Amino acid sequence: MSTLKTLIFTTTLLILTLSSVALSRPEAIDSLLKRLDSKRASSSDQESAAKAVLKRLLPSHIHSFLFKIVSKDVCGGHSCFLINNYYKESSGNGPEISIKGTTAVEIASGLHWYLKHWCGAHVSWDKTGGVQIASIPKPGSLPHVKDKGVMIQRPVPWNYYQNVVTSSYSYVWWNWERWEKELDWMALQGINLPLAFTGQEAIWQKVFMNLNITTEDLNDFFGGPAFLAWARMGNLHGWGGPLSQNWLDQQLCLQKQILSRMLELGMTPVLPSFSGNVPAALKKIFPSANITRLGDWNTVDKNPRWCCTYLLNPSDPLFVEIGEAFIRQQVKEYGDVTDIYNCDTFNENSPPTSDPAYISSLGAAVYKAMSRGDKDAVWLMQGWLFYSDSAFWKPPQMQALLHSVPFGKMIVLDLFAEAKPIWKNSSQFYGTPYVWCLLHNFGGNIEMYGILDTISSGPVDARISENSTMVGVGMCMEGIEHNPVVYELMSEMAFRSGKPQVLEWLKTYSRRRYGKAVRQVVAAWDILYHTVYNCTDGIADHNTDFIVKFPDWDPSLHSGSNISEQDNMRILLTSSGTRRFLFQEKSSDIPEAHLWYSTQEVIQALWLFLDAGNDLAGSLTYRYDLVDLTRQVLSKLANQVYRDAMIAFRRKDARALNLHGQKFLQIIKDIDVLLASDDNFLLGTWLESAKKLAIDPNDMKLYEWNARTQVTMWYDTTKTNQSQFHDYANKFWSGLLEDYYLPRASTYFGHLMKSLEGNKNFKLTEWRKEWIAFSNKWQADTKIYPVKAKGDALAIAKALYRKYFG
């Protein structure tokens, strides 16, 4: 298409769409919301589901609350919850507080809001300290709200939850017991639009076998349990597999339980749809189909055993046939539970041409496949591609895709809005409804990090902006169970129409989280707010601390003359052990881990936390935060020690290299002991949960290998090349530090010392051979790791503070 034709096409498309948006946007969204409301469980079922959440959270108060579903008319046409005092005619055990809501999620959110703001309670994931409910008065003594009660409306209809890879990084080994806890947490946080991806391989098995695809073909198509997310996206095939029939059946059963509970709670699940990813054998069965083999996605040597999957072009009639069959198979298995389907055909997979007309035809074909299976289908698409592949997705291409379906039939997730918002530079996605999302975490890494000011203001700024098309907020982290302060604030933004004052909010947060106000902790959170949780450098935080993401490089290939005067001065100042982290200036080529704050200030915050220990020693939430903060401080110290070691190596100072190398190794050992003192930082929990899902030895061996591999090498290796994804999903877990990260660093420093002592070049390849062989052995090992903590976290943290900062 010529440039002129392209310009005419896109301009006409924009004019037509914007004119229709002005007329149809509210009607289209309202129509969708009404249709989704009609699919919800009955009022009595939802009230019972909300009551069950209360019983699991606070069984002692099961009779203290009265729950009731009300229509949106009571809330001015919006979703809301209402909290009122319940006045009894007689004394005795009975309801004290009435909570009404338009769904069970609203009721649960109202319950959580009341417990937080009137009773000083706190709810977080079990692995981040769990709940603090000791502050809640006994039944019969619950505090009253103001006489007229409280009504909280959602400023936007939806609160979305999950990333397409969260199912692999966090949920992969969950059983129903763990899922039930998560669904309770979701309801309490007000999540009403969750992704529901579990068990889809069993659906695909039935669809593809109807097309004469064999079990052997599917074994090559599906990934292993810990890598299903990337097999679903067509990034890889076969890696970590094969999936057993036991797995497929088990996960399908689990999905039915998950969906049933979501519906009882009044949630709208988002189901998967067909993106074009197909087994290789389909090309032989349908030789005339428009199937292309994609390029390599991050294998070490383009190994076809794992890479280069097959994509069925959306323009091919077979695409619509398969897409329709998949939607209908889901409806057959689950019932008519939703109209919203996720599809990311173009995620990290650009169309073959940038012609807007072609892109529009592809988008229309993708939607056609959905709508054939569900005439009311709405396409939910991650907007990640507009950021990750911005060189391709220019305004004409974006408009062509976004306008390829009828208005109201597509919703976009502005996936990384806290750091890289697309809505600001795309005329609000060119009129397409979107959800403002927090991405925040990559790979399920454990690191204290956040942008609290942006979380408190970003959704509000987007919603009140001119011609806003925002219809929701969302949390799209790759992994969960970390940084509870970030997710508590983000969850509240689903119910806040204005911007909270974060520092004041943090004062009440810390009081709720620990059950009491402690002066030192309030001061510590003030520091953390201005440092750790104030990352404004625009860098996507992926934990690159050298303990967990050890640099794979040869420092002898670079000139020692590059050592800066600042580095020399810092070495002199740190040699006494009294001044650390004085300078952040960088040598030109020594690796740098992400650092966005003053480490000295955060060390002061740790001191304040420790000083509060006598007041909070029995608090599990305090223990988690103390261990996490101590870990963070020591990890940043290790980064500087590593740099000192590299500078010593370049100066050919074997004594200093040994000193700094040994200190780096000792920090790893000390952090491992620290992490072992809290149940929430144990490798054993991850491995044992994987093994518990197995029902025979073969599955157990495969699941454990998957679990070990994902958090270490992740993907394929050769004898001399680590996986390109090594340490992507790194974790600060006791057992992983001692048995994996420590040997890696130890062998590396050992090779550096041999280089200096023998006056020879550093043999990077030899170290890689040794390390990769060790890693392969560790991944295949079956050593059992503890699942219970040992040691006194407060005493250990105090001792480490004295040792390194005293």
Side-chain angles (χ1 to χ4, degrees):
M1 178 180 283
S2 67
T3 303
L4 178 59
K5 288 175 69 179
T6 300
L7 180 60
I8 293 171
F9 173 84
T10 54
T11 303
T12 303
L13 191 61
L14 179 60
I15 292 171
L16 289 173
T17 304
L18 289 181
S19 63
S20 66
V21 166
L23 295 172
S24 64
R25 178 176 175 270
E27 291 87 346
I29 297 302
D30 286 347
S31 175
L32 171 60
L33 289 170
K34 288 177 181 177
R35 197 165 61 248
L36 294 173
D37 286 344
S38 70
K39 296 179 185 290
R40 301 197 198 284
S42 68
S43 295
S44 60
D45 285 348
Q46 290 191 63
E47 289 166 2
S48 295
K51 201 78 171 178
V53 172
L54 170 61
K55 186 175 182 180
R56 288 186 290 272
L57 174 67
L58 201 61
S60 57
H61 289 65
I62 189 66
H63 300 297
S64 299
F65 295 90
L66 180 70
F67 293 158
K68 184 174 179 58
I69 295 290
V70 295
S71 75
K72 288 183 178 179
D73 294 338
V74 177
C75 307
H78 300 279
S79 296
C80 82
F81 58 79
L82 304 98
I83 307 172
N84 294 95
N85 303 317
Y86 186 83
Y87 295 102
K88 296 174 287 187
E89 295 182 359
S90 59
S91 59
N93 294 330
E96 301 170 69
I97 298 294
S98 164
I99 300 177
K100 301 174 183 177
T102 47
T103 68
V105 168
E106 261 65 33
I107 292 176
S109 302
L111 171 66
H112 189 202
W113 197 271
Y114 173 79
L115 294 177
K116 284 166 62 171
H117 298 294
W118 277 267
C119 302
H122 172 77
V123 177
S124 69
W125 291 296
D126 284 355
K127 287 200 70 175
T128 56
V131 300
Q132 185 288 111
I133 54 176
S135 62
I136 300 175
K138 294 179 180 180
S141 303
L142 291 180
H144 284 182
V145 299
K146 58 186 180 182
D147 288 341
K148 292 184 179 180
V150 177
M151 181 174 75
I152 303 291
Q153 294 179 331
R154 289 186 188 267
V156 284
W158 287 302
N159 187 3
Y160 175 81
Y161 185 54
Q162 296 180 40
N163 189 296
V164 294
V165 302
T166 318
S167 57
S168 290
Y169 283 133
S170 294
Y171 308 152
V172 55
W173 310 122
W174 285 7
N175 56 19
W176 170 242
E177 180 183 5
R178 178 61 188 85
W179 260 111
E180 185 172 56
K181 289 184 177 181
E182 187 71 4
L183 289 161
D184 284 355
W185 180 88
M186 289 160 58
L188 292 164
Q189 306 300 332
I191 291 159
N192 61 2
L193 190 65
L195 207 59
F197 265 29
T198 302
Q200 63 178 280
E201 282 67 32
I203 306 294
W204 284 122
Q205 181 188 48
K206 295 174 183 180
V207 170
F208 283 129
M209 282 189 163
N210 284 337
L211 296 171
N212 296 320
I213 297 292
T214 67
T215 298
E216 186 178 349
D217 297 330
L218 290 176
N219 287 344
D220 180 61
F221 178 62
F222 295 142
F227 303 97
L228 286 176
W230 300 275
R232 292 166 181 169
M233 290 187 286
N235 301 134
L236 53 81
H237 66 97
W239 179 252
L243 294 179
S244 68
Q245 192 61 46
N246 294 331
W247 171 273
L248 296 172
D249 296 341
Q250 183 184 61
Q251 293 295 298
L252 181 61
C253 179
L254 182 60
Q255 170 75 337
K256 291 179 179 180
Q257 290 178 289
I258 294 167
L259 288 174
S260 178
R261 182 59 54 82
M262 285 180 175
L263 295 173
E264 289 170 7
L265 289 166
M267 298 175 182
T268 297
V270 179
L271 290 176
S273 62
F274 181 49
S275 64
N277 183 33
V278 295
L282 199 73
K283 193 169 179 63
K284 296 178 181 178
I285 298 171
F286 297 93
S288 62
N290 188 355
I291 299 173
T292 57
R293 190 162 199 183
L294 301 176
D296 177 52
W297 186 81
N298 295 300
T299 60
V300 172
D301 56 359
K302 296 181 173 58
N303 188 342
R305 177 68 187 85
W306 320 118
C307 89
C308 313
T309 58
Y310 289 86
L311 184 71
L312 175 61
N313 193 297
S315 64
D316 193 292
L318 186 59
F319 187 100
V320 175
E321 181 183 336
I322 294 175
E324 178 183 356
F326 181 70
I327 298 287
R328 291 191 182 280
Q329 188 64 43
Q330 287 188 115
V331 173
K332 181 179 179 181
E333 293 285 347
Y334 312 140
D336 183 13
V337 299
T338 190
D339 288 330
I340 302 185
Y341 302 90
N342 169 260
C343 183
D344 295 304
T345 296
F346 310 111
N347 187 47
E348 300 187 17
N349 171 33
S350 299
T353 173
S354 61
D355 179 358
Y358 179 78
I359 292 171
S360 181
S361 69
L362 292 184
V366 170
Y367 179 70
K368 183 179 180 181
M370 284 185 204
S371 59
R372 283 282 185 88
D374 178 349
K375 64 180 178 59
D376 296 317
V378 174
W379 179 359
L380 182 81
M381 182 180 71
Q382 291 191 143
W384 177 252
L385 71 170
F386 301 134
Y387 162 69
S388 65
D389 197 7
S390 58
F392 178 90
W393 293 101
K394 301 297 186 184
Q397 289 74 34
M398 287 182 65
Q399 291 176 50
L401 178 58
L402 295 172
H403 297 167
S404 64
V405 302
F407 184 80
K409 297 298 186 179
M410 177 183 282
I411 300 171
V412 182
L413 302 178
D414 198 352
L415 206 71
F416 201 10
E418 84 273 22
K420 306 291 181 182
I422 304 298
W423 70 267
K424 288 185 176 181
N425 302 311
S426 64
S427 300
Q428 305 266 350
F429 289 93
Y430 304 104
T432 303
Y434 77 95
V435 177
W436 193 103
C437 293
L438 171 78
L439 178 53
H440 184 254
N441 177 269
F442 293 85
N445 296 164
I446 297 172
E447 178 161 41
M448 295 177 71
Y449 156 85
I451 321 173
L452 295 184
D453 281 342
T454 300
I455 293 171
S456 68
S457 62
V460 178
D461 290 339
R463 180 175 53 81
I464 66 175
S465 63
E466 187 177 3
N467 297 320
S468 176
T469 58
M470 177 180 162
V471 294
V473 295
M475 296 184 287
C476 299
M477 60 278 116
E478 289 193 350
I480 65 168
E481 299 176 322
H482 52 80
N483 289 289
V485 65
V486 169
Y487 297 102
E488 173 132 345
L489 179 58
M490 187 64 221
S491 295
E492 282 198 14
M493 296 312 295
F495 295 100
R496 288 188 176 272
S497 57
K499 303 175 184 179
Q501 296 299 313
V502 179
L503 199 53
E504 287 303 310
W505 182 88
L506 279 171
K507 289 179 182 178
T508 62
Y509 169 82
S510 64
R511 185 177 70 248
R512 295 195 310 266
R513 182 156 170 81
Y514 311 123
K516 63 175 75 172
V518 178
R519 174 182 53 81
Q520 298 97 316
V521 169
V522 171
W525 272 106
D526 191 328
I527 294 172
L528 295 176
Y529 164 59
H530 289 100
T531 54
V532 170
Y533 291 109
N534 186 35
C535 183
T536 57
D537 60 14
I539 297 175
D541 190 63
H542 193 148
N543 196 333
T544 55
D545 287 353
F546 298 142
I547 289 176
V548 293
K549 191 170 179 62
F550 199 76
D552 181 0
W553 75 308
D554 182 354
S556 65
L557 294 178
H558 306 272
S559 171
S561 63
N562 285 336
I563 299 174
S564 69
E565 192 65 30
Q566 298 283 13
D567 276 313
N568 277 317
M569 184 177 294
R570 187 191 44 69
I571 290 171
L572 293 173
L573 287 167
T574 58
S575 61
S576 65
T578 58
R579 293 291 300 277
R580 297 177 176 85
F581 313 146
L582 186 64
F583 295 105
Q584 291 302 325
E585 286 80 355
K586 303 175 182 179
S587 297
S588 61
D589 55 8
I590 294 178
E592 288 285 341
H594 185 205
L595 184 62
W596 62 97
Y597 59 83
S598 162
T599 51
Q600 286 289 355
E601 290 183 55
V602 177
I603 292 170
Q604 174 66 14
L606 174 57
W607 182 86
L608 289 166
F609 250 87
L610 290 167
D611 197 38
N614 291 335
D615 289 323
L616 298 173
S619 166
L620 296 180
T621 46
Y622 167 77
R623 186 181 74 179
Y624 173 88
D625 289 348
L626 174 65
V627 169
D628 201 23
L629 181 56
T630 308
R631 171 210 57 74
Q632 179 106 352
V633 168
L634 291 176
S635 183
K636 302 306 176 189
L637 170 62
N639 292 341
Q640 192 56 67
V641 173
Y642 172 88
R643 286 176 54 79
D644 292 345
M646 295 304 102
I647 293 167
F649 175 79
R650 288 183 169 183
R651 295 172 66 188
K652 301 188 183 301
D653 186 341
R655 180 179 175 278
L657 172 62
N658 183 61
L659 176 69
H660 296 307
Q662 289 303 311
K663 184 174 183 180
F664 187 87
L665 300 179
Q666 187 59 50
I667 293 174
I668 297 177
K669 295 176 183 178
D670 287 339
I671 295 178
D672 193 90
V673 171
L674 170 74
L675 298 176
S677 68
D678 189 291
D679 292 326
N680 305 302
F681 295 94
L682 304 178
L683 170 64
T685 304
W686 172 254
L687 298 182
E688 291 306 310
S689 63
K691 291 190 286 184
K692 282 180 181 178
L693 286 187
I695 62 174
D696 63 48
N698 289 333
D699 275 357
M700 184 177 291
K701 183 177 180 180
L702 180 71
Y703 296 175
E704 182 167 8
W705 183 91
N706 269 256
R708 286 169 174 260
T709 297
Q710 190 204 84
V711 299
T712 53
M713 275 296 178
W714 204 106
Y715 208 9
D716 65 327
T717 62
T718 65
K719 289 184 178 180
T720 57
N721 288 289
Q722 295 194 73
S723 159
Q724 292 194 45
F725 276 169
H726 72 87
D727 302 316
Y728 184 93
N730 64 65
K731 301 291 188 294
F732 271 97
W733 285 339
S734 177
L736 193 58
L737 270 74
E738 180 77 24
D739 282 2
Y740 191 82
Y741 298 139
L742 179 64
R744 174 170 62 183
S746 179
T747 57
Y748 186 85
F749 285 125
H751 280 270
L752 287 179
M753 285 298 297
K754 288 180 182 178
S755 172
L756 289 189
E757 291 169 350
N759 196 28
K760 296 178 180 178
N761 290 332
F762 172 62
K763 296 182 179 180
L764 178 62
T765 300
E766 293 304 309
W767 171 72
R768 284 176 175 168
K769 285 182 180 178
E770 183 178 345
W771 167 241
I772 292 168
F774 177 94
S775 182
N776 288 337
K777 183 178 179 181
W778 188 89
Q779 290 163 244
D781 199 4
T782 56
K783 176 181 175 180
I784 296 175
Y785 288 88
V787 294
K788 294 293 182 183
K790 63 177 181 180
D792 183 329
L794 179 59
I796 293 169
K798 284 182 175 180
L800 292 176
Y801 185 91
R802 288 193 298 269
K803 179 176 182 178
Y804 291 104
F805 310 110

